């Protein structure tokens, strides 16, 4: 049996199946799309994509397909080339599994929406763009997928476009992503000029790799994966419906930046500057996001900041020169983060739109399935031993502790790990336990299988995914095997400290002590004062600079004052001065002339 | 000096005095200019008759052409200033002086 042929065929089949619900209604009027059709399409595509992954695990088959080539310039090849290696073959089933669960959940969540078919079409388009990004071997095809996910993110965040906050959030997402795109285009231009190729397998790691393209790639990842500096769009993106937050802004789109760095990792291996930059940027992002999550009261914002923090952790792993570990974290993170968002969506709908955790409580008895899976997801997020998050997160912390690196990055990451435990426990305790703080008449009903089966499926994935992936995949770099006991249990100790502190502090909220404001609380609550500072100062500087140069300098000064109007002003001044000498008294002059002539004539006789 | 010379000398002098001492209307200054031109034309056309040199018969024709142009210019100025000021009264013309 030709395994590589089966692999190629089934991967192309997966992609084609996903395109069918969008393409066929365009060709004929009698075929219409519907939410169930879209969900079943993604389910079928998931089951089909399991086969290539199994083939790869069984025999290590990898493939590179090169389709039609765009003959734009004869000396520069831009083929449509798809790379089926470990990363794309493993991510396809994971992304499709998560998307299937989210689409099934969305049939219940968006059931009252009049344009639900359009919503599902948007989600499917997003999924196709993301899969194109994953499977591409060429930076050009990757860029197509990159832009595709960016525009679908914009359309989906502003789904309820009657709301101003949704529109501004979507605009923020697009603008910040665009700034990241500058970096990607810079890298593509450098590669096209210097190495004459955009293929990923032709990226080599020379010992003197210039830092410029790597800075471009890091900028692209900062924009797309919401690292510190270009991060405000991710919490603002929670304005979109919960399925959008679950699919885009937790499992798939935001990992596109990290995935780009994983794909182009051969360029990074020898450049210590770029690696250290990734490390420090990731450590800063993870701590900043974890700090902001400590004081948030909106359940979706807490989960969004937790996503941002985990993305920082992935960036730290890239900075440690461990791309496969970062990919493992992406895979396990997809499961529990999507599940956390779906649980929060179920809670929000069942409380009739309430998103503030201070107004939830005691839900454990009222919504048992959702809250159990919520707890499982939170435990997996914290890195509880032998759930999914443990396999990736604990390995990352171990590698951090046993590497020769920047101590500051290490300390920030450990602090962020303990903060993760703090806000997770806070969220769990406030949502599920204690006295209930919800209004008495709430339409609470989670008995719909469209709600419970995706959440339980993803819970199963959160428990087993880490074990399954690490059992079947050999690591390319040897993980550290021996270390002192203290280092080995650092992650556990730090998390346990966080849990203890959070439980203690949640008892304090029931003791009716009047809280005073202090600067740390204000810093965390206002998200580090980043949004008002940067959004005002930057835009005002740019707009006044633009006005000064374009309008005041060029139009008014050069074209008018130094040109015709200045000349006219000079002439006018000269004319005004000169006309004072010429009063134009014709009669006086002519009379004087006549008198003078008469006197001369008379004096001649 | 013959009677002819007296006639155009006195015509010229009286017209120039009229140009110098015009009072209200701009058109009277233009008329005096015209009569100055006329007297000069008659004087110039007397010259070839007096000196019996036909070659200078061309000169009064030139002068007439230029005086016609000048008269046209003067009338255009008159019309323009009348259009803006409403009349050709001279004491109105320096009211808008800056």
């Amino acid at each position: 049996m030709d395994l590589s042929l089966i692999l190629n065929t089934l991967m192309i089949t997966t992609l084609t199946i996903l395109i069918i619900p969008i393409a066929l209604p365009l060709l004929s009027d009698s075929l219409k799309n519907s939410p169930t059709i879209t969900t079943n399409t993604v389910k079928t595509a998931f089951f089909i994509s399991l086969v290539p992954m199994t083939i790869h695990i069984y025999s290590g088959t990898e493939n590179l397909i090169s389709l039609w080539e765009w003959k734009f310039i004869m000396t520069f090849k831009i083929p449509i080339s798809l790379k089926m290696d470990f990363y794309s073959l493993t991510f396809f089933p994971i992304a499709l599994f998560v998307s299937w669960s989210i689409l099934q959940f969305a049939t219940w969540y968006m059931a009252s929406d009049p344009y639900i078919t359009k919503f599902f079409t948007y989600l499917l388009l997003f999924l196709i763009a993301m899969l194109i990004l994953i499977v591409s071997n060429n930076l050009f095809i990757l860029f197509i997928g990159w832009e595709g996910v960016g525009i679908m993110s914009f359309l989906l965040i502003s789904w309820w476009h009657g709301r101003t906050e949704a529109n501004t959030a979507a605009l923020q997402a697009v603008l910040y992503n665009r700034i990241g795109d500058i970096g990607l285009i810079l890298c593509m231009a450098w590669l096209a000029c210097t190495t004459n190729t955009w293929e990923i397998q032709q990226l080599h790691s020379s010992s003197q790799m210039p830092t410029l393209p790597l800075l471009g790639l890091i900028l692209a990842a900062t924009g797309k994966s919401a690292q510190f500096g270009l991060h405000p769009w991710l919490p603002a993106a929670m304005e979109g419906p919960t399925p959008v937050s679950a699919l885009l802004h937790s499992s798939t789109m935001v990992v596109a930046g990290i995935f780009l760095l994983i794909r182009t990792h051969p360029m990074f291996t020898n450049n210590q500057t770029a690696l250290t930059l990734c490390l420090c940027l990731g450590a800063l992002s993870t701590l900043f996001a974890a700090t902001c999550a400590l004081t948030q009261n909106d359940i979706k914002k807490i989960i969004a900041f937790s996503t941002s923090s985990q993305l920082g952790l992935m960036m730290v792993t890239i900075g440690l020169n461990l791309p496969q570990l970062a990919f493992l974290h992406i895979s396990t993170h997809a499961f529990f983060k999507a599940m956390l968002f779906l649980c929060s969506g179920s809670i929000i709908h069942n409380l009739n739109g309430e998103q503030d955790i201070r107004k939830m409580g005691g839900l454990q008895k009222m919504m048992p399935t959702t809250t159990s899976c919520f707890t499982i997801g939170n435990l997996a997020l914290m890195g509880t031993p032998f759930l999914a998050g443990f396999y990736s997160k604990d390995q990352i912390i171990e590698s951090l502790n046993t590497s020769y690196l920047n101590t500051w990055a290490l300390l920030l990451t450990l602090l962020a790990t303990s903060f993760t435990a703090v806000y997770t426990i806070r969220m769990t305790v406030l949502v599920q336990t204690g006295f209930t703080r919800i209004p008495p008449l709430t339409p609470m009903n989670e008995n719909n299988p469209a709600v419970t089966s995706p959440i339980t499926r993803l819970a199963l994935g959160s428990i087993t995914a880490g074990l399954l992936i690490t059992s079947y995949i050999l690591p390319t770099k040897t993980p550290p095997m021996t270390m002192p006991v203290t280092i080995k249990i650092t992650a556990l100790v730090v998390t346990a400290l966080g849990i203890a502190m959070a439980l203690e502090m949640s008892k304090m909220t029931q003791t009716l002590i009047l809280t005073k404001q202090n600067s740390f609380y204000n810093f965390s609550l206002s998200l580090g004062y980043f949004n008002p500072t940067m959004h005002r100062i930057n835009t005002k500087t740019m707009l006044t600079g633009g006005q000064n140069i374009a309008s005041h300098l060029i139009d008014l000064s050069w074209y008018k004052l130094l040109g015709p109007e200045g000349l006219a002003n000079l002439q006018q001044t000269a004319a005004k001065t000169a006309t004072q000498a010429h009063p134009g008294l014709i009669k006086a002059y002519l009379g004087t002339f006549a008198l003078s002539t008469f006197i001369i004539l008379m004096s001649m006789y | 000096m013959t009677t002819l010379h007296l006639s155009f000398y006195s015509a010229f002098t009286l017209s120039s005095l009229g140009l110098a001492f015009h009072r209200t209307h701009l058109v009277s200054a233009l008329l005096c200019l015209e009569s100055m031109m006329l007297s000069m034309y008659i004087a110039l056309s007397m010259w070839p008759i007096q000196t019996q040199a036909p070659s200078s018969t061309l000169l009064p024709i030139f002068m007439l052409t230029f005086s016609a142009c000048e008269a046209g210019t003067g009338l255009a100025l008159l019309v323009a200033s009348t259009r803006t000021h409403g009349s050709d009264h001279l004491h109105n013309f320096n009211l808008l002086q800056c």
Side-chain angles (χ1 to χ4, degrees), chain A residues 576 579 582-584 586-587 590-591 593-595, chain B residues 16-17 19-24 90 94 97-98:
Chain A
K576 270 200 230 175
T579 46
H582 295 259
I586 301 284
K587 285 191 328 193
L590 288 174
F593 167 67
L595 187 61
Chain B
S16 58
L17 283 178
L19 176 63
F21 295 120
H22 62 279
R23 287 192 47 203
T24 34
L90 287 168
N94 65 348
Q97 187 183 32
C98 54

Side-chain angles (χ1 to χ4, degrees), chain A residues 210-350:
Chain A
T211 326
L212 182 65
L214 304 178
L215 285 181
L217 287 175
I218 295 176
L219 180 64
T222 313
K224 191 64 99 179
S225 296
Q227 304 296 312
F228 181 74
L230 297 178
H231 65 279
W233 68 272
L234 190 52
M238 297 298 118
E239 292 289 333
T242 309
V244 169
S245 309
L247 187 54
L248 272 74
H249 305 120
S250 64
S251 11
T252 15
M253 183 183 117
V254 290
V255 299
I258 306 288
F259 194 80
L260 173 70
L261 291 181
I262 293 177
R263 273 272 193 242
T264 53
H265 205 262
M267 290 208 285
F268 277 86
T269 23
N270 281 335
N271 193 330
Q272 194 54 44
T273 320
L275 288 177
T276 316
L277 181 62
C278 280
L279 184 71
C280 297
L281 182 64
L284 185 59
S285 314
T286 177
L287 181 64
F288 182 75
T291 316
C292 292
L294 288 176
T295 50
Q296 292 297 312
N297 293 318
D298 184 357
I299 190 174
K300 281 179 73 173
K301 285 252 181 359
I302 299 181
I303 308 181
F305 278 114
S306 141
T307 308
S308 196
S309 181
Q310 296 302 307
L311 289 170
L313 193 63
M314 292 173 204
M315 187 65 121
V316 161
T317 324
I318 300 269
L320 286 175
N321 223 347
L322 299 168
Q324 205 179 14
L325 193 51
F327 181 75
L328 178 64
H329 195 54
I330 289 179
S331 317
T332 52
H333 174 257
F335 286 102
F336 53 76
K337 199 42 71 69
M339 181 172 72
L340 281 176
F341 268 113
L342 291 191
C343 291
S344 73
S346 164
I347 293 173
I348 291 171
H349 247 33
N350 278 321

